[in-house]
PDB file of all heavy atoms in Angstrom:
ATOM      1  N   MET A1254      12.316  -0.459  -5.811  1.00 95.00           N
ATOM      2  CA  MET A1254      12.097   0.229  -7.062  1.00 95.00           C
ATOM      3  C   MET A1254      12.771   1.660  -6.870  1.00 95.00           C
ATOM      4  O   MET A1254      12.400   2.349  -5.765  1.00 95.00           O
ATOM      5  CB  MET A1254      10.626   0.403  -7.456  1.00 95.00           C
ATOM      6  CG  MET A1254      10.112  -1.003  -7.805  1.00 95.00           C
ATOM      7  SD  MET A1254       8.389  -0.961  -8.238  1.00 95.00           S
ATOM      8  CE  MET A1254       8.394  -0.019  -9.742  1.00 95.00           C
ATOM      9  N   ALA A1255      13.481   2.199  -7.818  1.00 96.00           N
ATOM     10  CA  ALA A1255      14.104   3.440  -7.632  1.00 96.00           C
ATOM     11  C   ALA A1255      13.139   4.610  -7.477  1.00 96.00           C
ATOM     12  O   ALA A1255      13.456   5.599  -6.773  1.00 96.00           O
ATOM     13  CB  ALA A1255      14.996   3.736  -8.859  1.00 96.00           C
ATOM     14  N   SER A1256      12.013   4.503  -8.110  1.00 95.00           N
ATOM     15  CA  SER A1256      11.006   5.640  -8.045  1.00 95.00           C
ATOM     16  C   SER A1256      10.185   5.686  -6.766  1.00 95.00           C
ATOM     17  O   SER A1256       9.543   6.581  -6.392  1.00 95.00           O
ATOM     18  CB  SER A1256      10.116   5.573  -9.208  1.00 95.00           C
ATOM     19  OG  SER A1256       9.353   4.368  -9.225  1.00 95.00           O
ATOM     20  N   VAL A1257      10.191   4.616  -5.992  1.00 96.00           N
ATOM     21  CA  VAL A1257       9.403   4.489  -4.744  1.00 96.00           C
ATOM     22  C   VAL A1257      10.218   5.063  -3.614  1.00 96.00           C
ATOM     23  O   VAL A1257      11.334   4.654  -3.223  1.00 96.00           O
ATOM     24  CB  VAL A1257       9.016   2.936  -4.470  1.00 96.00           C
ATOM     25  CG1 VAL A1257       8.317   2.846  -3.115  1.00 96.00           C
ATOM     26  CG2 VAL A1257       8.177   2.502  -5.594  1.00 96.00           C
ATOM     27  N   LEU A1258       9.525   6.069  -2.890  1.00 97.00           N
ATOM     28  CA  LEU A1258      10.125   6.644  -1.678  1.00 97.00           C
ATOM     29  C   LEU A1258       9.679   5.937  -0.473  1.00 97.00           C
ATOM     30  O   LEU A1258      10.429   5.856   0.555  1.00 97.00           O
ATOM     31  CB  LEU A1258       9.718   8.090  -1.557  1.00 97.00           C
ATOM     32  CG  LEU A1258      10.124   9.016  -2.826  1.00 97.00           C
ATOM     33  CD1 LEU A1258       9.498  10.427  -2.649  1.00 97.00           C
ATOM     34  CD2 LEU A1258      11.635   9.070  -2.909  1.00 97.00           C
ATOM     35  N   GLU A1259       8.464   5.490  -0.464  1.00 96.00           N
ATOM     36  CA  GLU A1259       7.928   4.743   0.752  1.00 96.00           C
ATOM     37  C   GLU A1259       6.743   3.862   0.335  1.00 96.00           C
ATOM     38  O   GLU A1259       5.980   4.270  -0.601  1.00 96.00           O
ATOM     39  CB  GLU A1259       7.406   5.851   1.703  1.00 96.00           C
ATOM     40  CG  GLU A1259       6.703   5.347   2.910  1.00 96.00           C
ATOM     41  CD  GLU A1259       6.299   6.535   3.770  1.00 96.00           C
ATOM     42  OE1 GLU A1259       7.055   7.471   4.086  1.00 96.00           O
ATOM     43  OE2 GLU A1259       5.055   6.517   4.128  1.00 96.00           O
ATOM     44  N   CYS A1260       6.612   2.727   0.942  1.00 95.00           N
ATOM     45  CA  CYS A1260       5.397   1.955   0.670  1.00 95.00           C
ATOM     46  C   CYS A1260       4.968   1.364   2.013  1.00 95.00           C
ATOM     47  O   CYS A1260       5.723   1.125   2.933  1.00 95.00           O
ATOM     48  CB  CYS A1260       5.714   0.875  -0.306  1.00 95.00           C
ATOM     49  SG  CYS A1260       7.029  -0.186  -0.053  1.00 95.00           S
ATOM     50  N   SER A1261       3.659   1.107   2.170  1.00 96.00           N
ATOM     51  CA  SER A1261       3.036   0.591   3.344  1.00 96.00           C
ATOM     52  C   SER A1261       1.832  -0.161   2.955  1.00 96.00           C
ATOM     53  O   SER A1261       1.359  -0.151   1.848  1.00 96.00           O
ATOM     54  CB  SER A1261       2.737   1.681   4.325  1.00 96.00           C
ATOM     55  OG  SER A1261       1.678   2.517   3.781  1.00 96.00           O
ATOM     56  N   TYR A1262       1.254  -1.033   3.890  1.00 95.00           N
ATOM     57  CA  TYR A1262       0.097  -1.725   3.629  1.00 95.00           C
ATOM     58  C   TYR A1262      -0.605  -1.916   4.920  1.00 95.00           C
ATOM     59  O   TYR A1262      -0.079  -1.868   6.039  1.00 95.00           O
ATOM     60  CB  TYR A1262       0.368  -2.994   2.924  1.00 95.00           C
ATOM     61  CG  TYR A1262       1.174  -4.038   3.624  1.00 95.00           C
ATOM     62  CD1 TYR A1262       0.602  -5.093   4.429  1.00 95.00           C
ATOM     63  CD2 TYR A1262       2.598  -4.077   3.555  1.00 95.00           C
ATOM     64  CE1 TYR A1262       1.357  -5.982   5.049  1.00 95.00           C
ATOM     65  CE2 TYR A1262       3.355  -5.020   4.253  1.00 95.00           C
ATOM     66  CZ  TYR A1262       2.740  -5.978   4.963  1.00 95.00           C
ATOM     67  OH  TYR A1262       3.562  -6.950   5.526  1.00 95.00           O
ATOM     68  N   GLU A1263      -1.916  -2.188   4.820  1.00 96.00           N
ATOM     69  CA  GLU A1263      -2.800  -2.421   5.988  1.00 96.00           C
ATOM     70  C   GLU A1263      -3.801  -3.533   5.583  1.00 96.00           C
ATOM     71  O   GLU A1263      -4.146  -3.604   4.377  1.00 96.00           O
ATOM     72  CB  GLU A1263      -3.429  -1.224   6.534  1.00 96.00           C
ATOM     73  CG  GLU A1263      -4.309  -0.478   5.560  1.00 96.00           C
ATOM     74  CD  GLU A1263      -4.734   0.858   6.144  1.00 96.00           C
ATOM     75  OE1 GLU A1263      -3.950   1.677   6.282  1.00 96.00           O
ATOM     76  OE2 GLU A1263      -5.979   0.942   6.281  1.00 96.00           O
ATOM     77  N   PHE A1264      -4.155  -4.332   6.529  1.00 97.00           N
ATOM     78  CA  PHE A1264      -5.075  -5.469   6.287  1.00 97.00           C
ATOM     79  C   PHE A1264      -6.431  -5.063   6.871  1.00 97.00           C
ATOM     80  O   PHE A1264      -6.553  -4.553   8.047  1.00 97.00           O
ATOM     81  CB  PHE A1264      -4.580  -6.793   6.927  1.00 97.00           C
ATOM     82  CG  PHE A1264      -3.299  -7.292   6.246  1.00 97.00           C
ATOM     83  CD1 PHE A1264      -2.114  -7.276   6.983  1.00 97.00           C
ATOM     84  CD2 PHE A1264      -3.380  -7.756   4.966  1.00 97.00           C
ATOM     85  CE1 PHE A1264      -0.949  -7.790   6.430  1.00 97.00           C
ATOM     86  CE2 PHE A1264      -2.123  -8.229   4.360  1.00 97.00           C
ATOM     87  CZ  PHE A1264      -0.953  -8.262   5.107  1.00 97.00           C
ATOM     88  N   GLU A1265      -7.479  -5.429   6.149  1.00 96.00           N
ATOM     89  CA  GLU A1265      -8.844  -5.292   6.686  1.00 96.00           C
ATOM     90  C   GLU A1265      -9.277  -6.720   7.057  1.00 96.00           C
ATOM     91  O   GLU A1265      -9.049  -7.639   6.227  1.00 96.00           O
ATOM     92  CB  GLU A1265      -9.728  -4.742   5.630  1.00 96.00           C
ATOM     93  CG  GLU A1265     -11.159  -4.596   6.031  1.00 96.00           C
ATOM     94  CD  GLU A1265     -12.072  -4.073   4.960  1.00 96.00           C
ATOM     95  OE1 GLU A1265     -11.545  -2.997   4.227  1.00 96.00           O
ATOM     96  OE2 GLU A1265     -13.211  -4.516   4.799  1.00 96.00           O
ATOM     97  N   ARG A1266      -9.763  -6.890   8.199  1.00 96.00           N
ATOM     98  CA  ARG A1266     -10.196  -8.266   8.636  1.00 96.00           C
ATOM     99  C   ARG A1266     -11.716  -8.265   8.891  1.00 96.00           C
ATOM    100  O   ARG A1266     -12.303  -7.318   9.410  1.00 96.00           O
ATOM    101  CB  ARG A1266      -9.435  -8.628   9.950  1.00 96.00           C
ATOM    102  CG  ARG A1266      -7.958  -8.746   9.727  1.00 96.00           C
ATOM    103  CD  ARG A1266      -7.280  -9.140  11.063  1.00 96.00           C
ATOM    104  NE  ARG A1266      -5.860  -9.103  10.937  1.00 96.00           N
ATOM    105  CZ  ARG A1266      -5.110 -10.168  10.610  1.00 96.00           C
ATOM    106  NH1 ARG A1266      -5.644 -11.324  10.353  1.00 96.00           N
ATOM    107  NH2 ARG A1266      -3.783 -10.079  10.451  1.00 96.00           N
ATOM    108  N   ARG A1267     -12.252  -9.443   8.648  1.00 96.00           N
ATOM    109  CA  ARG A1267     -13.708  -9.706   8.897  1.00 96.00           C
ATOM    110  C   ARG A1267     -13.771 -10.994   9.568  1.00 96.00           C
ATOM    111  O   ARG A1267     -13.435 -12.024   8.949  1.00 96.00           O
ATOM    112  CB  ARG A1267     -14.502  -9.634   7.605  1.00 96.00           C
ATOM    113  CG  ARG A1267     -14.510  -8.179   6.994  1.00 96.00           C
ATOM    114  CD  ARG A1267     -15.374  -8.159   5.822  1.00 96.00           C
ATOM    115  NE  ARG A1267     -15.325  -6.839   5.252  1.00 96.00           N
ATOM    116  CZ  ARG A1267     -15.598  -6.558   4.029  1.00 96.00           C
ATOM    117  NH1 ARG A1267     -16.117  -7.392   3.235  1.00 96.00           N
ATOM    118  NH2 ARG A1267     -15.532  -5.278   3.610  1.00 96.00           N
ATOM    119  N   GLY A1268     -14.279 -11.040  10.738  1.00 96.00           N
ATOM    120  CA  GLY A1268     -14.395 -12.351  11.508  1.00 96.00           C
ATOM    121  C   GLY A1268     -13.125 -13.016  11.654  1.00 96.00           C
ATOM    122  O   GLY A1268     -13.012 -14.224  11.674  1.00 96.00           O
ATOM    123  N   GLY A1269     -11.915 -12.280  11.823  1.00 95.00           N
ATOM    124  CA  GLY A1269     -10.663 -12.767  11.968  1.00 95.00           C
ATOM    125  C   GLY A1269      -9.891 -13.090  10.652  1.00 95.00           C
ATOM    126  O   GLY A1269      -8.728 -13.284  10.659  1.00 95.00           O
ATOM    127  N   SER A1270     -10.568 -13.104   9.534  1.00 96.00           N
ATOM    128  CA  SER A1270      -9.952 -13.469   8.217  1.00 96.00           C
ATOM    129  C   SER A1270      -9.638 -12.161   7.560  1.00 96.00           C
ATOM    130  O   SER A1270     -10.417 -11.179   7.469  1.00 96.00           O
ATOM    131  CB  SER A1270     -10.975 -14.258   7.396  1.00 96.00           C
ATOM    132  OG  SER A1270     -11.253 -15.471   7.863  1.00 96.00           O
ATOM    133  N   ILE A1271      -8.509 -12.145   6.899  1.00 96.00           N
ATOM    134  CA  ILE A1271      -8.076 -10.982   6.098  1.00 96.00           C
ATOM    135  C   ILE A1271      -8.945 -10.950   4.864  1.00 96.00           C
ATOM    136  O   ILE A1271      -9.019 -12.011   4.157  1.00 96.00           O
ATOM    137  CB  ILE A1271      -6.614 -11.027   5.676  1.00 96.00           C
ATOM    138  CG1 ILE A1271      -5.727 -11.042   6.942  1.00 96.00           C
ATOM    139  CG2 ILE A1271      -6.251  -9.875   4.772  1.00 96.00           C
ATOM    140  CD1 ILE A1271      -4.197 -11.237   6.667  1.00 96.00           C
ATOM    141  N   SER A1272      -9.635  -9.859   4.668  1.00 95.00           N
ATOM    142  CA  SER A1272     -10.535  -9.759   3.449  1.00 95.00           C
ATOM    143  C   SER A1272      -9.926  -8.847   2.343  1.00 95.00           C
ATOM    144  O   SER A1272     -10.369  -8.929   1.254  1.00 95.00           O
ATOM    145  CB  SER A1272     -11.919  -9.253   3.908  1.00 95.00           C
ATOM    146  OG  SER A1272     -11.818  -7.985   4.513  1.00 95.00           O
ATOM    147  N   LEU A1273      -9.008  -7.943   2.729  1.00 94.00           N
ATOM    148  CA  LEU A1273      -8.470  -6.992   1.790  1.00 94.00           C
ATOM    149  C   LEU A1273      -7.143  -6.441   2.309  1.00 94.00           C
ATOM    150  O   LEU A1273      -6.969  -6.233   3.592  1.00 94.00           O
ATOM    151  CB  LEU A1273      -9.526  -5.818   1.694  1.00 94.00           C
ATOM    152  CG  LEU A1273      -9.339  -4.821   0.616  1.00 94.00           C
ATOM    153  CD1 LEU A1273      -9.610  -5.425  -0.711  1.00 94.00           C
ATOM    154  CD2 LEU A1273     -10.238  -3.642   0.855  1.00 94.00           C
ATOM    155  N   CYS A1274      -6.261  -6.152   1.376  1.00 95.00           N
ATOM    156  CA  CYS A1274      -5.010  -5.487   1.732  1.00 95.00           C
ATOM    157  C   CYS A1274      -4.964  -4.198   0.917  1.00 95.00           C
ATOM    158  O   CYS A1274      -5.096  -4.145  -0.360  1.00 95.00           O
ATOM    159  CB  CYS A1274      -3.835  -6.271   1.365  1.00 95.00           C
ATOM    160  SG  CYS A1274      -2.239  -5.529   1.701  1.00 95.00           S
ATOM    161  N   SER A1275      -4.760  -3.053   1.641  1.00 95.00           N
ATOM    162  CA  SER A1275      -4.682  -1.794   0.932  1.00 95.00           C
ATOM    163  C   SER A1275      -3.160  -1.405   0.927  1.00 95.00           C
ATOM    164  O   SER A1275      -2.515  -1.381   1.963  1.00 95.00           O
ATOM    165  CB  SER A1275      -5.446  -0.630   1.709  1.00 95.00           C
ATOM    166  OG  SER A1275      -6.728  -0.899   1.618  1.00 95.00           O
ATOM    167  N   ILE A1276      -2.599  -1.206  -0.292  1.00 95.00           N
ATOM    168  CA  ILE A1276      -1.203  -0.855  -0.459  1.00 95.00           C
ATOM    169  C   ILE A1276      -1.065   0.538  -0.799  1.00 95.00           C
ATOM    170  O   ILE A1276      -1.672   1.048  -1.693  1.00 95.00           O
ATOM    171  CB  ILE A1276      -0.656  -1.763  -1.556  1.00 95.00           C
ATOM    172  CG1 ILE A1276      -0.764  -3.219  -1.248  1.00 95.00           C
ATOM    173  CG2 ILE A1276       0.841  -1.370  -1.879  1.00 95.00           C
ATOM    174  CD1 ILE A1276      -0.502  -4.115  -2.440  1.00 95.00           C
ATOM    175  N   THR A1277      -0.251   1.337  -0.086  1.00 96.00           N
ATOM    176  CA  THR A1277       0.023   2.719  -0.403  1.00 96.00           C
ATOM    177  C   THR A1277       1.448   2.822  -0.754  1.00 96.00           C
ATOM    178  O   THR A1277       2.380   2.417  -0.148  1.00 96.00           O
ATOM    179  CB  THR A1277      -0.247   3.618   0.782  1.00 96.00           C
ATOM    180  OG1 THR A1277      -1.576   3.394   1.291  1.00 96.00           O
ATOM    181  CG2 THR A1277      -0.041   5.052   0.587  1.00 96.00           C
ATOM    182  N   VAL A1278       1.670   3.513  -1.988  1.00 96.00           N
ATOM    183  CA  VAL A1278       3.014   3.720  -2.546  1.00 96.00           C
ATOM    184  C   VAL A1278       3.236   5.148  -2.749  1.00 96.00           C
ATOM    185  O   VAL A1278       2.412   5.800  -3.451  1.00 96.00           O
ATOM    186  CB  VAL A1278       3.196   2.984  -3.850  1.00 96.00           C
ATOM    187  CG1 VAL A1278       4.619   3.104  -4.379  1.00 96.00           C
ATOM    188  CG2 VAL A1278       2.851   1.476  -3.613  1.00 96.00           C
ATOM    189  N   ILE A1279       4.220   5.741  -2.078  1.00 97.00           N
ATOM    190  CA  ILE A1279       4.619   7.164  -2.261  1.00 97.00           C
ATOM    191  C   ILE A1279       5.832   7.212  -3.246  1.00 97.00           C
ATOM    192  O   ILE A1279       6.825   6.440  -2.961  1.00 97.00           O
ATOM    193  CB  ILE A1279       5.041   7.791  -1.009  1.00 97.00           C
ATOM    194  CG1 ILE A1279       3.865   7.729   0.119  1.00 97.00           C
ATOM    195  CG2 ILE A1279       5.384   9.324  -1.190  1.00 97.00           C
ATOM    196  CD1 ILE A1279       2.541   8.305  -0.350  1.00 97.00           C
ATOM    197  N   THR A1280       5.709   7.859  -4.374  1.00 97.00           N
ATOM    198  CA  THR A1280       6.711   7.872  -5.353  1.00 97.00           C
ATOM    199  C   THR A1280       7.359   9.284  -5.623  1.00 97.00           C
ATOM    200  O   THR A1280       6.737  10.251  -5.151  1.00 97.00           O
ATOM    201  CB  THR A1280       6.161   7.430  -6.723  1.00 97.00           C
ATOM    202  OG1 THR A1280       5.204   8.341  -7.149  1.00 97.00           O
ATOM    203  CG2 THR A1280       5.595   5.980  -6.606  1.00 97.00           C
ATOM    204  N   LYS A1281       8.475   9.285  -6.152  1.00 97.00           N
ATOM    205  CA  LYS A1281       9.001  10.554  -6.677  1.00 97.00           C
ATOM    206  C   LYS A1281       8.000  11.168  -7.622  1.00 97.00           C
ATOM    207  O   LYS A1281       7.356  10.375  -8.364  1.00 97.00           O
ATOM    208  CB  LYS A1281      10.412  10.338  -7.400  1.00 97.00           C
ATOM    209  CG  LYS A1281      11.473   9.756  -6.512  1.00 97.00           C
ATOM    210  CD  LYS A1281      12.762   9.474  -7.289  1.00 97.00           C
ATOM    211  CE  LYS A1281      13.809   8.898  -6.344  1.00 97.00           C
ATOM    212  NZ  LYS A1281      14.936   8.538  -7.129  1.00 97.00           N
ATOM    213  N   PRO A1282       7.803  12.473  -7.603  1.00 97.00           N
ATOM    214  CA  PRO A1282       6.882  13.048  -8.560  1.00 97.00           C
ATOM    215  C   PRO A1282       7.187  12.673  -9.969  1.00 97.00           C
ATOM    216  O   PRO A1282       8.283  12.801 -10.483  1.00 97.00           O
ATOM    217  CB  PRO A1282       7.123  14.570  -8.365  1.00 97.00           C
ATOM    218  CG  PRO A1282       7.632  14.654  -6.917  1.00 97.00           C
ATOM    219  CD  PRO A1282       8.455  13.397  -6.779  1.00 97.00           C
ATOM    220  N   THR A1283       6.166  12.114 -10.656  1.00 95.00           N
ATOM    221  CA  THR A1283       6.254  11.579 -12.027  1.00 95.00           C
ATOM    222  C   THR A1283       5.258  12.239 -12.904  1.00 95.00           C
ATOM    223  O   THR A1283       4.005  12.218 -12.585  1.00 95.00           O
ATOM    224  CB  THR A1283       6.036  10.086 -11.985  1.00 95.00           C
ATOM    225  OG1 THR A1283       6.900   9.445 -11.096  1.00 95.00           O
ATOM    226  CG2 THR A1283       6.255   9.442 -13.426  1.00 95.00           C
ATOM    227  N   PRO A1284       5.625  12.843 -14.067  1.00 95.00           N
ATOM    228  CA  PRO A1284       4.653  13.386 -14.934  1.00 95.00           C
ATOM    229  C   PRO A1284       3.535  12.403 -15.303  1.00 95.00           C
ATOM    230  O   PRO A1284       3.875  11.280 -15.605  1.00 95.00           O
ATOM    231  CB  PRO A1284       5.485  13.837 -16.183  1.00 95.00           C
ATOM    232  CG  PRO A1284       6.908  13.989 -15.708  1.00 95.00           C
ATOM    233  CD  PRO A1284       7.035  12.998 -14.555  1.00 95.00           C
ATOM    234  N   SER A1285       2.272  12.876 -15.253  1.00 93.00           N
ATOM    235  CA  SER A1285       1.201  11.967 -15.441  1.00 93.00           C
ATOM    236  C   SER A1285       0.038  12.720 -16.172  1.00 93.00           C
ATOM    237  O   SER A1285      -0.933  13.113 -15.510  1.00 93.00           O
ATOM    238  CB  SER A1285       0.743  11.443 -14.127  1.00 93.00           C
ATOM    239  OG  SER A1285      -0.344  10.510 -14.287  1.00 93.00           O
TER     240      SER A1285
END
């Protein structure tokens, strides 16, 4: 995506199973 400067993710595991994925997206400054 043109507005995305960087994206990353990390997994949270419980008992070896992935329970959650946190996605971080750094974007060009966008009026909000």
Side-chain angles (χ1 to χ4, degrees):
M1254 295 175 68
S1256 62
V1257 173
L1258 301 174
E1259 177 183 307
C1260 55
S1261 64
Y1262 62 96
E1263 56 188 67
F1264 294 112
E1265 181 179 319
R1266 295 178 188 268
R1267 294 186 184 159
S1270 295
I1271 297 172
S1272 58
L1273 191 71
C1274 179
S1275 294
I1276 300 166
T1277 302
V1278 181
I1279 306 299
T1280 63
K1281 294 177 182 175
T1283 305
S1285 184

